[in-house]
Every structure is written in structure tokens, then in C-alpha cells.
């Protein structure tokens, strides 16, 4: 015994000794009321200092694993509900086994089937990956984030470490309400719920709007955000996709569909749409009149709204609604700031937000108050505008480089994307991008096949999304050259 103790370099030694002895007790290698070696003996056995063992023994006693008898030493304490062998296993008897896969309900099984990350390609080291549309961490100003954290902790650190409010951190809500007002939104009669990013906000809204007596019916652009498709399906919505044109959703097709079907909601991404990157034209924003006429609530995804590289400010759809309450806006800064701070928001009718607050409280109690406060202080310190300016400059440069490389090396593809962190490519029908991906993977390049963003299986098999935000200039050009070469091989076949 005690021969298998091994130190690691990145943890306090006394904690490692305590956890080692703790494991021996839990496994039953040390029995109740058995005396432990003296601190001097243990220090020799484990090749650590005696003071280290003293500290470890004190920790074991504090945690209830041992007890001390003055003048005699430390002993193993009896543990309540201790042994795994009581439920079978270690003594050769039958163990308690449940077939968890057989217990999974339809929701759980569907979640696995729709899990894009589990089904994705595992890139080998050195692979040029165009799959990510996350921000480039090299642009993060850690000094400003650190200052924001220290500033806020100095002001109300004890409060931030306790429970927060389901609705959100009030200073951040006030700041974001003003932020949305500056985008042209009339905030009269509206309120806000802070969430753990876009996905939680979207899921909460869907759970509130899902009909209880039947399957829901949703309308959206086709293609659209894969996470939105996944959550709509998991929440039991039948999805009708409306094709995209070069300046946004096909309004004529939308009008035809609305005349023959009833819908519970619409999900739209008007600016720097995922995956096409298209910005809905001013003319097509008249789509809101159609939704108002048919009384269909609109969930607006504020995806990538800040990453415009040219042209005038584009107001969100919720701004066109005035004091009307038919639009639910879901926003986050995940693509322009720090996705590690899981903070998003839902802006909508005050009565709706009141209900969503109760759903949020029932699920997760509240979004991390520390995360919210860091984001608030970071913006309050004036860092947001500075960061966005820097990010726009760098991403615009990469956007133009990527677009130029596509035009040079992929002339066969139609390229769309007016901004943001990706481009969307549509190839001739003879190119299957999943097969193209297999060929490119062998050459050390991966991307996201576009069919994942379409509503019906079999659609978009000749499309792909190319994320450039975290790819170096050299690899952007080299990777697109490889994709171009493999594309021509497919067209020749």
C-alpha cells in the first residue's frame, strides 16, 4: 500500500496527499477505525514533507473521513452509505445496471440525432479548418476584460458572488435597453430578459409559444441557422422553409405560403444571415407587413448585426414595429465579443418577458451574475466600441481576402455574404459538398457542408459555409486553393 502515489506538478502537494488517502478510504483499502501511519511514517512512504502530511490529515478530518485520538494518531472514520459492494459488484454479486439508452425519451433521442457537433469531423492537427464562425481570440483585449472584472468586484463583489435575479442584472438590462433604443427600437411597453446566450433565449421563447394541443407550425428562411432548426424540431414545431434570394427571403413565395397555411411563429435573421451572410434589403423588410396582417409573431435573430463592413446602419426588424409588440428580438455579442461569457438577451412585450422570466427561474434560476457584470462594466468603461472598431477592421480584411480567393480559385461557385464571419458557396448541381469534404479532408482542409442548414433532407447538397474568422491569411489562400482543385476533380468526373 501507498506505493502507487504519484505527484503532479500543477496542484498543491497537501491536497494531492489528502485526495490520495481519501480515495483509499472510499475504495475500502483503508477500513473504518483503522489507524493511519503517523505523519512522520507517511511522509517517508510518500516522499513528501511531514508538514504536507499534517496539512493533508487535517483536511481529511475536516471532511469527515478521519478522526483523531489525542496522543494516539489518526483513524479512518466509518462512512454512511459507504460501500459499492453493498449494491453488488466488488464481491462478485450482480451489479445494479440500467439500460439508459432504452430509458431515453423522444426528446433525448432527437437531441442526439440533431447534434451537429457529435456528427462533425474531428480535425487532425495541422488541418485548415473553415468550420468555425467564432471570433478570433487573438483580438480579445485581456487587459480590458481584467480591468472590468476588478472594477466590478471592487464595487459589489460580495453581491455578485451570491444568487442573482432570473430577469437579469439590472445595470446590464438598463444598458442594453438603451443600446437597443440607439438602434431605433421603441422600448415603450417592452422589457428584457437576460439569458445564457442566444440558444437559451430561443429555447425559452419556443417553450412558451409551443401550442399544447397540437404540433406547432413555424416559418423561416431556407437555409437557416442549424441550431434554430434543431431547437424548433425538439420543441415539436413543423418547419416550413421559404427560399432565400440574393437580397433576402423570397417574399412572393412567403405570401403564397401564408395564404394557404396558419403559423404560430416566424424565425428570421435579417442581417448577415447564417449561413448565407445576406442582409435583407429595405424593400424586403416589408415582410413585416405580411406578418402583421396574418398576426404571426416574429422571432428576430440579431446574429452578427455589429459586423457590417460597408454601407449605412441597418435597423433591426423590431425597430420597424414601432410600439407594436409582434417582434421578439434575441441578441448576443457572441460573434463580436466573448462567447465564453454566456450572455444574451430577449427583448419583447412586457407581458411576454414577465412569463419568460418565470420559465427562466424554473430552469436555471439566473444567468451568471459575474458574467453579466463583467460585460456591463466592460461596455461601461468604453471598451465595446473600441473593440468593435478593431474587430470590424480585421474581419473586413479577412472577408475581402476570403472573397477574393474564392473568386480566383472557385470560379465555379456562386458566393454570398455581405459581412460577418463567413461566406456561403453554391456550386453546380454536380458537386456534392459532403463528398467534396471527404476529398478535402484527405488534403488537410475541412468546412461545413451546407445541407445542414436546410429544412428538408436532400436540399443544399451543393452548398457549403466557409468560416474565416480564425484562419490565418496564408491558410485561407492555401485552403481555398485545395477546395478549388478538388472541386474541379468532381466536375471532370
Amino acid at each position: 500500500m501507498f506505493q502507487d502515489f504519484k505527484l503532479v506538478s500543477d496542484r498543491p502537494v497537501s491536497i494531492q496527499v489528502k485526495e490520495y488517502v481519501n480515495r483509499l478510504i472510499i475504495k475500502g483499502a483503508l477500513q473504518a477505525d483503522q489507524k493511519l501511519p503517523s505523519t512522520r511514517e507517511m511522509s517517508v512512504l510518500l516522499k513528501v514533507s511531514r508538514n504536507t502530511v499534517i496539512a493533508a490529515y487535517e483536511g481529511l478530518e475536516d471532511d469527515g473521513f478521519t478522526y483523531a485520538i489525542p496522543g494516539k494518531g489518526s483513524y479512518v472514520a466509518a462512512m454512511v452509505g459507504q460501500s459499492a459492494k453493498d449494491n453488488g459488484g466488488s464481491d462478485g454479486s450482480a451489479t445494479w445496471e440500467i439500460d439508459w439508452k432504452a430509458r431515453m425519451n423522444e426528446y433525448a433521442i432527437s437531441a442526439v440525432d440533431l447534434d451537429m457537433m457529435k456528427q462533425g469531423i474531428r480535425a487532425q492537427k495541422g488541418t485548415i479548418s473553415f468550420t468555425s464562425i467564432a471570433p478570433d481570440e487573438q483580438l480579445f483585449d485581456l487587459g480590458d476584460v481584467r480591468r472590468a472584472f476588478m472594477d466590478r468586484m471592487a464595487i459589489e463583489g460580495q453581491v455578485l458572488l451570491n444568487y442573482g435575479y432570473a430577469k437579469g442584472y439590472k445595470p446590464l438590462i438598463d444598458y442594453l435597453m438603451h443600446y437597443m433604443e440607439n438602434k431605433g427600437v421603441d422600448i415603450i411597453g417592452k422589457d428584457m430578459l437576460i439569458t445564457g446566450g442566444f440558444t437559451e433565449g430561443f429555447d425559452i421563447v419556443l417553450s412558451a409559444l409551443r401550442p399544447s394541443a397540437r404540433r406547432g407550425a413555424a416559418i423561416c428562411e431556407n437555409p437557416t441557422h442549424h441550431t434554430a432548426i434543431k431547437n424548433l424540431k425538439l420543441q415539436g414545431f413543423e418547419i416550413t422553409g421559404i427560399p432565400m434570394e440574393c437580397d433576402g427571403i423570397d417574399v412572393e413565395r412567403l405570401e403564397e405560403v401564408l395564404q394557404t397555411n396558419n403559423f404560430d411563429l416566424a424565425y428570421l435573421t435579417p442581417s448577415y444571415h447564417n449561413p448565407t451572410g445576406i442582409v435583407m434589403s429595405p424593400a424586403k423588410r416589408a415582410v413585416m407587413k405580411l406578418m402583421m396582417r396574418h398576426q404571426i409573431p416574429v422571432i428576430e435573430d440579431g446574429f452578427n448585426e455589429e459586423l457590417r463592413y460597408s454601407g449605412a446602419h441597418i435597423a433591426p426588424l423590431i425597430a420597424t414595429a414601432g410600439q407594436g409588440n409582434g417582434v421578439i428580438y434575441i441578441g448576443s455579442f457572441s460573434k463580436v465579443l466573448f462567447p465564453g461569457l454566456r450572455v444574451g438577451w430577449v427583448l419583447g412585450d412586457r407581458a411576454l418577458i414577465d412569463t419568460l422570466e418565470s420559465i427562466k427561474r424554473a430552469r436555471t434560476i439566473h444567468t451568471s451574475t459575474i458574467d453579466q457584470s463583467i460585460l456591463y462594466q466592460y461596455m461601461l468603461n468604453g471598451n465595446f466600441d473600441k473593440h468593435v472598431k478593431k474587430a470590424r477592421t480585421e474581419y473586413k480584411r479577412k472577408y475581402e481576402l476570403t472573397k477574393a480567393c474564392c473568386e480566383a480559385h472557385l470560379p465555379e461557385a456562386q458566393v454570398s455574404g455581405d459581412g460577418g464571419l463567413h461566406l456561403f458557396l453554391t456550386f453546380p448541381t454536380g458537386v456534392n459538398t459532403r463528398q467534396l469534404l471527404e476529398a478535402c479532408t484527405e488534403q488537410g482542409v475541412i468546412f461545413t457542408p451546407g445541407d445542414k442548414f436546410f429544412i428538408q433532407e436532400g436540399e443544399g447538397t451543393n452548398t457549403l459555409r466557409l468560416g474565416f474568422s480564425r484562419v490565418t491569411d496564408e491558410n485561407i489562400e492555401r485552403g481555398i486553393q485545395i477546395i478549388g482543385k478538388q472541386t474541379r476533380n468532381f466536375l471532370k468526373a
Side-chain angles (χ1 to χ4, degrees), residues 209-269:
L209 299 184
R210 182 186 63 238
S212 56
R214 57 174 175 80
R215 286 181 67 83
I219 198 164
C220 66
E221 297 133 328
N222 192 32
T224 192
H225 188 8
H226 174 78
T227 296
I229 295 174
K230 175 172 65 177
N231 280 278
L232 283 164
K233 288 181 176 180
L234 287 173
Q235 289 283 7
F237 283 86
E238 297 283 356
I239 310 171
T240 298
I242 306 299
M244 289 286 283
E245 298 181 318
C246 63
D247 62 343
I249 194 168
D250 184 339
V251 178
E252 289 185 9
R253 177 60 183 151
L254 173 62
E255 195 161 10
E256 291 173 7
V257 169
L258 291 179
Q259 287 172 356
T260 57
N261 297 275
N262 295 316
F263 293 94
D264 299 295
L265 59 87
Y267 165 71
L268 301 174
T269 309

Side-chain angles (χ1 to χ4, degrees), residues 80-125:
V80 178
Q82 151 75 24
S83 181
K85 67 185 179 182
D86 295 338
N87 293 316
S90 61
D91 62 353
S93 60
T95 57
W96 184 21
E97 293 288 340
I98 291 177
D99 183 353
W100 287 111
K101 285 197 173 182
R103 298 274 183 132
M104 295 299 101
N105 59 26
E106 184 180 349
Y107 180 95
I109 294 168
S110 296
V112 174
D113 291 341
L114 294 166
D115 192 339
M116 185 172 164
M117 294 299 292
K118 281 188 177 178
Q119 298 171 19
I121 290 178
R122 296 292 179 263
Q124 300 296 319
K125 188 174 182 180

Side-chain angles (χ1 to χ4, degrees), residues 143-180:
D144 287 341
V145 177
R146 190 179 299 112
R147 276 188 291 276
F149 173 75
M150 296 303 293
D151 288 350
R152 209 67 220 160
M153 289 297 287
I155 294 170
E156 52 179 352
Q158 291 175 314
V159 172
L160 300 179
L161 293 172
N162 213 323
Y163 282 110
Y165 296 97
K167 188 176 175 184
Y169 182 58
K170 190 174 187 307
L172 179 62
I173 291 175
D174 292 343
Y175 189 99
L176 291 174
M177 290 292 280
H178 182 65
Y179 171 79
M180 294 303 296

Side-chain angles (χ1 to χ4, degrees), residues 242-317:
I242 306 299
M244 289 286 283
E245 298 181 318
C246 63
D247 62 343
I249 194 168
D250 184 339
V251 178
E252 289 185 9
R253 177 60 183 151
L254 173 62
E255 195 161 10
E256 291 173 7
V257 169
L258 291 179
Q259 287 172 356
T260 57
N261 297 275
N262 295 316
F263 293 94
D264 299 295
L265 59 87
Y267 165 71
L268 301 174
T269 309
S271 298
Y272 310 113
H273 175 267
N274 185 15
T276 67
I278 291 170
V279 175
M280 187 185 290
S281 66
K284 289 203 168 177
R285 289 178 184 245
V287 70
M288 297 304 292
K289 293 180 181 178
L290 282 175
M291 297 301 176
M292 180 174 67
R293 189 187 312 155
H294 291 271
Q295 288 294 288
I296 300 172
V298 173
I299 301 174
E300 178 179 9
D301 186 347
F303 179 83
N304 265 356
E305 208 167 75
E306 297 299 335
L307 292 180
R308 62 178 178 84
Y309 301 142
S310 62
H313 165 72
I314 302 169
L317 296 179

